Amino acid sequence: MYPSLEGKVVVITGGSTGLGKAMAERFGKEKAKVVINYYSEDQMKEVKGIIETIENAGGRATGIQGDVTKEEDIKRMISHAMETFGSMDVMVNNAGIENEVPSEDLTLEDWNKVISTNLTGQFLGCREAIDYMLEHKIKGSVINMSSVHQEIPWPHFVHYAASKGGVKLMTETLALEFAPHGIRVNCIAPGAIDTPINAEKFSDPELKKGVIELIPMGYIGKPEEIAACAVWLASSEASYVTGLTLFADGGMTQYPGFQAGKG
Ligand code: NAD
């Protein structure tokens, strides 16, 4: 547990499912005040459940619909945090999408959709959060959700890999730019985690087995294992950490092809 998070206001984009949901619930357990952004109205029911879980754990939470690719929606999320909880201390830019397409068939529309959600959306979240923190002299924390694919090339997912590579250098650049103000900017790079983004792949036993073979620790990660990284990065225990990519991938980036007996 991280006592420094008690009462802190945390905004999480794409917070109704998967990693966003796990992070919202974990920040709630830390007694933070959580603003859960969700994308579509049909996610409302899920959000209500998360709010209930957080409130039962002694935290506070609120939901707000919004599309991270729209400037006005990101601004609304931060205003909502201010109006509901009076401040904003932590921004988690988590919303993201992926789709598999051989690169020679990738349409401009598909490319733009992934880049605008995963990279531009995270930039808007960073910019608005940092602007707010500067104006209110808050030594806040910004956490971006990257992926092992900021480092590992991924055929058929060129738009996704490009977006996460962008998130890496965006994070490092913003960390450098705002370190003098005490604003920390870091990212988390998960490996393969059991969330809706992977539901189709993991429902096929052969595909799932193929993924597990790429993970030296031998299992698909749990969303809670990523949420644990987020609360640490947001807490005062990470007060001297900025510009970091925290890989949480069961060793996936450590060249699993070279495990004992191979390579
Ligand atoms: P997920 O599909 O459950 O979560 C993505 C969330 O983003 C959904 O709630 C979705 O509604 C929301 N979203 C999509 N477009 C949006 C938009 N324009 N505005 C607001 N919200 C939007 O999958 P997840 O695994 O929880 O993914 C969360 C993040 O983690 C993503 O950035 C993803 O790239 C990253 N990630 C996931 C894994 C994994 O294995 N699960 C690995 C590496 C990185």
Side-chain angles (χ1 to χ4, degrees):
M1 297 294 280
Y2 298 100
S4 65
L5 293 178
E6 185 166 349
K8 289 280 189 291
V9 180
V10 183
V11 178
I12 303 176
T13 66
S16 66
T17 63
L19 302 184
K21 176 182 176 188
M23 289 188 287
E25 290 181 348
R26 178 64 198 265
F27 275 108
K29 273 192 194 148
E30 301 289 345
K31 302 202 175 359
K33 298 170 181 164
V34 191
V35 178
I36 304 162
N37 154 248
Y38 58 96
Y39 187 36
S40 56
E41 291 301 338
D42 59 3
Q43 294 171 324
M44 266 290 293
K45 196 170 161 239
E46 192 70 40
V47 172
K48 280 189 182 149
I50 301 170
I51 293 174
E52 213 176 289
T53 305
I54 291 175
E55 290 182 345
N56 289 341
R60 291 181 62 196
T62 175
I64 181 164
Q65 189 280 330
D67 178 344
V68 296
T69 68
K70 295 189 177 146
E71 272 183 307
E72 62 275 19
D73 285 16
I74 298 262
K75 285 179 196 284
R76 255 194 320 109
M77 289 173 209
I78 292 176
S79 305
H80 185 70
M82 281 249 309
E83 283 153 19
T84 314
F85 297 131
S87 183
M88 199 214 39
D89 307 283
V90 179
M91 179 79 189
V92 184
N93 293 303
N94 166 71
I97 53 171
E98 66 179 45
N99 67 323
E100 180 171 9
V101 191
S103 300
E104 72 274 21
D105 295 330
L106 183 63
T107 61
L108 179 59
E109 191 187 352
D110 259 0
W111 170 271
N112 283 339
K113 194 167 175 210
V114 169
I115 297 291
S116 66
T117 307
N118 296 10
L119 181 57
T120 312
Q122 291 207 13
F123 166 68
L124 293 172
C126 288
R127 188 193 69 189
E128 290 306 312
I130 289 168
D131 188 44
Y132 176 85
M133 289 169 188
L134 288 173
E135 192 185 332
H136 294 85
K137 300 197 171 10
I138 293 169
K139 295 186 177 195
S141 165
V142 178
I143 299 169
N144 297 324
M145 196 54 71
S146 184
S147 160
V148 288
H149 296 294
Q150 73 168 43
E151 181 149 327
I152 304 175
W154 202 14
H156 294 194
F157 291 85
V158 66
H159 43 349
Y160 184 83
S163 72
K164 298 301 186 181
V167 166
K168 172 188 187 283
L169 266 174
M170 178 181 76
T171 300
E172 291 169 1
T173 300
L174 295 174
L176 190 57
E177 193 166 340
F178 296 102
H181 299 276
I183 299 171
R184 299 182 298 108
V185 187
N186 294 289
C187 62
I188 300 172
I193 315 296
D194 193 7
T195 72
I197 218 170
N198 290 318
E200 210 182 310
K201 194 185 305 166
F202 294 165
S203 66
D204 178 328
E206 272 310 298
L207 289 179
K208 188 172 178 181
K209 187 167 161 269
V211 173
I212 293 173
E213 278 167 11
L214 297 171
I215 307 169
M217 289 184 78
Y219 71 95
I220 305 284
K222 296 187 277 292
E224 294 73 24
E225 293 178 293
I226 304 304
C229 298
V231 286
W232 175 71
L233 277 175
S235 78
S236 62
E237 296 293 302
S239 54
Y240 206 48
V241 177
T242 196
L244 176 77
T245 296
L246 177 49
F247 284 93
D249 65 355
M252 202 180 220
T253 41
Q254 305 306 316
Y255 300 94
F258 283 82
Q259 270 187 307
K262 301 182 201 163

PDB file of all heavy atoms in Angstrom, residues 147-167:
ATOM      1  N   SER A 147       3.860  -0.372 -24.442  1.00  0.00           N
ATOM      2  CA  SER A 147       3.762  -1.815 -24.725  1.00  0.00           C
ATOM      3  C   SER A 147       5.177  -2.322 -24.971  1.00  0.00           C
ATOM      4  O   SER A 147       6.078  -1.535 -25.317  1.00  0.00           O
ATOM      5  CB  SER A 147       2.916  -2.009 -25.989  1.00  0.00           C
ATOM      6  OG  SER A 147       3.154  -3.285 -26.551  1.00  0.00           O
ATOM      7  N   VAL A 148       5.364  -3.637 -24.856  1.00  0.00           N
ATOM      8  CA  VAL A 148       6.665  -4.192 -25.280  1.00  0.00           C
ATOM      9  C   VAL A 148       6.931  -3.840 -26.739  1.00  0.00           C
ATOM     10  O   VAL A 148       8.073  -3.844 -27.178  1.00  0.00           O
ATOM     11  CB  VAL A 148       6.738  -5.729 -25.094  1.00  0.00           C
ATOM     12  CG1 VAL A 148       6.838  -6.099 -23.632  1.00  0.00           C
ATOM     13  CG2 VAL A 148       5.572  -6.450 -25.767  1.00  0.00           C
ATOM     14  N   HIS A 149       5.860  -3.516 -27.478  1.00  0.00           N
ATOM     15  CA  HIS A 149       6.036  -3.181 -28.896  1.00  0.00           C
ATOM     16  C   HIS A 149       6.520  -1.753 -29.111  1.00  0.00           C
ATOM     17  O   HIS A 149       6.555  -1.284 -30.238  1.00  0.00           O
ATOM     18  CB  HIS A 149       4.758  -3.493 -29.679  1.00  0.00           C
ATOM     19  CG  HIS A 149       4.469  -4.958 -29.650  1.00  0.00           C
ATOM     20  ND1 HIS A 149       5.289  -5.883 -30.248  1.00  0.00           N
ATOM     21  CD2 HIS A 149       3.512  -5.664 -29.009  1.00  0.00           C
ATOM     22  CE1 HIS A 149       4.825  -7.104 -30.007  1.00  0.00           C
ATOM     23  NE2 HIS A 149       3.740  -7.000 -29.254  1.00  0.00           N
ATOM     24  N   GLN A 150       6.945  -1.087 -28.053  1.00  0.00           N
ATOM     25  CA  GLN A 150       7.746   0.129 -28.243  1.00  0.00           C
ATOM     26  C   GLN A 150       9.175  -0.308 -28.580  1.00  0.00           C
ATOM     27  O   GLN A 150       9.994   0.481 -29.032  1.00  0.00           O
ATOM     28  CB  GLN A 150       7.738   1.027 -27.008  1.00  0.00           C
ATOM     29  CG  GLN A 150       8.553   0.522 -25.816  1.00  0.00           C
ATOM     30  CD  GLN A 150       8.739   1.584 -24.743  1.00  0.00           C
ATOM     31  OE1 GLN A 150       7.819   2.308 -24.403  1.00  0.00           O
ATOM     32  NE2 GLN A 150       9.948   1.712 -24.198  1.00  0.00           N
ATOM     33  N   GLU A 151       9.450  -1.590 -28.345  1.00  0.00           N
ATOM     34  CA  GLU A 151      10.790  -2.128 -28.566  1.00  0.00           C
ATOM     35  C   GLU A 151      10.799  -3.316 -29.542  1.00  0.00           C
ATOM     36  O   GLU A 151      11.696  -3.448 -30.353  1.00  0.00           O
ATOM     37  CB  GLU A 151      11.352  -2.575 -27.213  1.00  0.00           C
ATOM     38  CG  GLU A 151      12.747  -3.121 -27.306  1.00  0.00           C
ATOM     39  CD  GLU A 151      13.551  -2.877 -26.048  1.00  0.00           C
ATOM     40  OE1 GLU A 151      13.333  -1.836 -25.396  1.00  0.00           O
ATOM     41  OE2 GLU A 151      14.379  -3.728 -25.725  1.00  0.00           O
ATOM     42  N   ILE A 152       9.789  -4.176 -29.418  1.00  0.00           N
ATOM     43  CA  ILE A 152       9.755  -5.389 -30.259  1.00  0.00           C
ATOM     44  C   ILE A 152       8.958  -5.101 -31.535  1.00  0.00           C
ATOM     45  O   ILE A 152       7.778  -4.739 -31.456  1.00  0.00           O
ATOM     46  CB  ILE A 152       9.080  -6.566 -29.506  1.00  0.00           C
ATOM     47  CG1 ILE A 152       9.789  -6.848 -28.172  1.00  0.00           C
ATOM     48  CG2 ILE A 152       9.039  -7.807 -30.378  1.00  0.00           C
ATOM     49  CD1 ILE A 152       9.102  -7.931 -27.315  1.00  0.00           C
ATOM     50  N   PRO A 153       9.577  -5.258 -32.701  1.00  0.00           N
ATOM     51  CA  PRO A 153       8.821  -5.051 -33.947  1.00  0.00           C
ATOM     52  C   PRO A 153       7.657  -6.042 -34.020  1.00  0.00           C
ATOM     53  O   PRO A 153       7.746  -7.147 -33.477  1.00  0.00           O
ATOM     54  CB  PRO A 153       9.847  -5.359 -35.049  1.00  0.00           C
ATOM     55  CG  PRO A 153      11.176  -5.340 -34.379  1.00  0.00           C
ATOM     56  CD  PRO A 153      10.966  -5.686 -32.948  1.00  0.00           C
ATOM     57  N   TRP A 154       6.554  -5.644 -34.695  1.00  0.00           N
ATOM     58  CA  TRP A 154       5.365  -6.513 -34.697  1.00  0.00           C
ATOM     59  C   TRP A 154       4.700  -6.500 -36.065  1.00  0.00           C
ATOM     60  O   TRP A 154       3.823  -5.665 -36.333  1.00  0.00           O
ATOM     61  CB  TRP A 154       4.381  -6.048 -33.605  1.00  0.00           C
ATOM     62  CG  TRP A 154       3.418  -7.095 -33.144  1.00  0.00           C
ATOM     63  CD1 TRP A 154       3.479  -8.439 -33.364  1.00  0.00           C
ATOM     64  CD2 TRP A 154       2.228  -6.878 -32.372  1.00  0.00           C
ATOM     65  NE1 TRP A 154       2.411  -9.073 -32.759  1.00  0.00           N
ATOM     66  CE2 TRP A 154       1.637  -8.144 -32.141  1.00  0.00           C
ATOM     67  CE3 TRP A 154       1.625  -5.743 -31.838  1.00  0.00           C
ATOM     68  CZ2 TRP A 154       0.467  -8.296 -31.419  1.00  0.00           C
ATOM     69  CZ3 TRP A 154       0.456  -5.884 -31.107  1.00  0.00           C
ATOM     70  CH2 TRP A 154      -0.115  -7.152 -30.900  1.00  0.00           C
ATOM     71  N   PRO A 155       5.103  -7.423 -36.954  1.00  0.00           N
ATOM     72  CA  PRO A 155       4.486  -7.480 -38.277  1.00  0.00           C
ATOM     73  C   PRO A 155       2.963  -7.601 -38.192  1.00  0.00           C
ATOM     74  O   PRO A 155       2.440  -8.278 -37.296  1.00  0.00           O
ATOM     75  CB  PRO A 155       5.112  -8.736 -38.903  1.00  0.00           C
ATOM     76  CG  PRO A 155       6.458  -8.837 -38.235  1.00  0.00           C
ATOM     77  CD  PRO A 155       6.216  -8.387 -36.813  1.00  0.00           C
ATOM     78  N   HIS A 156       2.287  -6.964 -39.108  1.00  0.00           N
ATOM     79  CA  HIS A 156       0.817  -6.862 -39.191  1.00  0.00           C
ATOM     80  C   HIS A 156       0.241  -5.866 -38.173  1.00  0.00           C
ATOM     81  O   HIS A 156      -0.966  -5.678 -38.117  1.00  0.00           O
ATOM     82  CB  HIS A 156       0.103  -8.221 -39.020  1.00  0.00           C
ATOM     83  CG  HIS A 156       0.388  -9.184 -40.126  1.00  0.00           C
ATOM     84  ND1 HIS A 156      -0.342 -10.326 -40.333  1.00  0.00           N
ATOM     85  CD2 HIS A 156       1.325  -9.171 -41.119  1.00  0.00           C
ATOM     86  CE1 HIS A 156       0.130 -10.990 -41.380  1.00  0.00           C
ATOM     87  NE2 HIS A 156       1.145 -10.299 -41.865  1.00  0.00           N
ATOM     88  N   PHE A 157       1.102  -5.285 -37.353  1.00  0.00           N
ATOM     89  CA  PHE A 157       0.630  -4.288 -36.380  1.00  0.00           C
ATOM     90  C   PHE A 157       1.537  -3.060 -36.468  1.00  0.00           C
ATOM     91  O   PHE A 157       1.914  -2.499 -35.454  1.00  0.00           O
ATOM     92  CB  PHE A 157       0.667  -4.861 -34.956  1.00  0.00           C
ATOM     93  CG  PHE A 157      -0.337  -5.956 -34.696  1.00  0.00           C
ATOM     94  CD1 PHE A 157      -0.054  -7.268 -35.022  1.00  0.00           C
ATOM     95  CD2 PHE A 157      -1.578  -5.665 -34.139  1.00  0.00           C
ATOM     96  CE1 PHE A 157      -0.980  -8.288 -34.779  1.00  0.00           C
ATOM     97  CE2 PHE A 157      -2.503  -6.678 -33.899  1.00  0.00           C
ATOM     98  CZ  PHE A 157      -2.208  -7.995 -34.217  1.00  0.00           C
ATOM     99  N   VAL A 158       1.883  -2.663 -37.711  1.00  0.00           N
ATOM    100  CA  VAL A 158       2.877  -1.591 -37.855  1.00  0.00           C
ATOM    101  C   VAL A 158       2.379  -0.279 -37.245  1.00  0.00           C
ATOM    102  O   VAL A 158       3.152   0.480 -36.646  1.00  0.00           O
ATOM    103  CB  VAL A 158       3.298  -1.413 -39.340  1.00  0.00           C
ATOM    104  CG1 VAL A 158       2.155  -0.920 -40.199  1.00  0.00           C
ATOM    105  CG2 VAL A 158       4.497  -0.501 -39.455  1.00  0.00           C
ATOM    106  N   HIS A 159       1.082  -0.018 -37.370  1.00  0.00           N
ATOM    107  CA  HIS A 159       0.521   1.231 -36.814  1.00  0.00           C
ATOM    108  C   HIS A 159       0.594   1.204 -35.283  1.00  0.00           C
ATOM    109  O   HIS A 159       0.920   2.203 -34.647  1.00  0.00           O
ATOM    110  CB  HIS A 159      -0.911   1.467 -37.316  1.00  0.00           C
ATOM    111  CG  HIS A 159      -1.813   0.269 -37.337  1.00  0.00           C
ATOM    112  ND1 HIS A 159      -1.393  -1.030 -37.149  1.00  0.00           N
ATOM    113  CD2 HIS A 159      -3.163   0.178 -37.524  1.00  0.00           C
ATOM    114  CE1 HIS A 159      -2.413  -1.858 -37.232  1.00  0.00           C
ATOM    115  NE2 HIS A 159      -3.497  -1.143 -37.459  1.00  0.00           N
ATOM    116  N   TYR A 160       0.326   0.018 -34.708  1.00  0.00           N
ATOM    117  CA  TYR A 160       0.379  -0.119 -33.245  1.00  0.00           C
ATOM    118  C   TYR A 160       1.821   0.048 -32.745  1.00  0.00           C
ATOM    119  O   TYR A 160       2.085   0.811 -31.817  1.00  0.00           O
ATOM    120  CB  TYR A 160      -0.164  -1.493 -32.847  1.00  0.00           C
ATOM    121  CG  TYR A 160      -0.254  -1.724 -31.356  1.00  0.00           C
ATOM    122  CD1 TYR A 160      -1.340  -1.257 -30.627  1.00  0.00           C
ATOM    123  CD2 TYR A 160       0.742  -2.410 -30.681  1.00  0.00           C
ATOM    124  CE1 TYR A 160      -1.434  -1.474 -29.266  1.00  0.00           C
ATOM    125  CE2 TYR A 160       0.663  -2.636 -29.317  1.00  0.00           C
ATOM    126  CZ  TYR A 160      -0.430  -2.171 -28.608  1.00  0.00           C
ATOM    127  OH  TYR A 160      -0.520  -2.384 -27.255  1.00  0.00           O
ATOM    128  N   ALA A 161       2.759  -0.663 -33.396  1.00  0.00           N
ATOM    129  CA  ALA A 161       4.161  -0.575 -32.969  1.00  0.00           C
ATOM    130  C   ALA A 161       4.672   0.859 -33.115  1.00  0.00           C
ATOM    131  O   ALA A 161       5.381   1.372 -32.240  1.00  0.00           O
ATOM    132  CB  ALA A 161       5.008  -1.546 -33.783  1.00  0.00           C
ATOM    133  N   ALA A 162       4.290   1.520 -34.223  1.00  0.00           N
ATOM    134  CA  ALA A 162       4.726   2.910 -34.419  1.00  0.00           C
ATOM    135  C   ALA A 162       4.151   3.811 -33.330  1.00  0.00           C
ATOM    136  O   ALA A 162       4.836   4.705 -32.808  1.00  0.00           O
ATOM    137  CB  ALA A 162       4.290   3.397 -35.803  1.00  0.00           C
ATOM    138  N   SER A 163       2.893   3.568 -32.959  1.00  0.00           N
ATOM    139  CA  SER A 163       2.279   4.414 -31.920  1.00  0.00           C
ATOM    140  C   SER A 163       2.994   4.230 -30.586  1.00  0.00           C
ATOM    141  O   SER A 163       3.263   5.194 -29.868  1.00  0.00           O
ATOM    142  CB  SER A 163       0.781   4.108 -31.774  1.00  0.00           C
ATOM    143  OG  SER A 163       0.549   2.856 -31.147  1.00  0.00           O
ATOM    144  N   LYS A 164       3.362   3.000 -30.243  1.00  0.00           N
ATOM    145  CA  LYS A 164       3.993   2.755 -28.940  1.00  0.00           C
ATOM    146  C   LYS A 164       5.454   3.220 -28.946  1.00  0.00           C
ATOM    147  O   LYS A 164       5.959   3.688 -27.928  1.00  0.00           O
ATOM    148  CB  LYS A 164       3.881   1.275 -28.560  1.00  0.00           C
ATOM    149  CG  LYS A 164       2.434   0.787 -28.394  1.00  0.00           C
ATOM    150  CD  LYS A 164       1.652   1.542 -27.333  1.00  0.00           C
ATOM    151  CE  LYS A 164       0.276   0.928 -27.089  1.00  0.00           C
ATOM    152  NZ  LYS A 164      -0.519   1.660 -26.084  1.00  0.00           N
ATOM    153  N   GLY A 165       6.119   3.093 -30.102  1.00  0.00           N
ATOM    154  CA  GLY A 165       7.459   3.678 -30.204  1.00  0.00           C
ATOM    155  C   GLY A 165       7.383   5.183 -29.985  1.00  0.00           C
ATOM    156  O   GLY A 165       8.249   5.784 -29.328  1.00  0.00           O
ATOM    157  N   GLY A 166       6.332   5.789 -30.521  1.00  0.00           N
ATOM    158  CA  GLY A 166       6.121   7.227 -30.315  1.00  0.00           C
ATOM    159  C   GLY A 166       5.868   7.566 -28.859  1.00  0.00           C
ATOM    160  O   GLY A 166       6.379   8.564 -28.340  1.00  0.00           O
ATOM    161  N   VAL A 167       5.103   6.714 -28.187  1.00  0.00           N
ATOM    162  CA  VAL A 167       4.804   6.954 -26.769  1.00  0.00           C
ATOM    163  C   VAL A 167       6.111   6.963 -25.951  1.00  0.00           C
ATOM    164  O   VAL A 167       6.293   7.773 -25.050  1.00  0.00           O
ATOM    165  CB  VAL A 167       3.833   5.879 -26.218  1.00  0.00           C
ATOM    166  CG1 VAL A 167       3.770   5.901 -24.696  1.00  0.00           C
ATOM    167  CG2 VAL A 167       2.436   6.079 -26.812  1.00  0.00           C
TER     168      VAL A 167
END
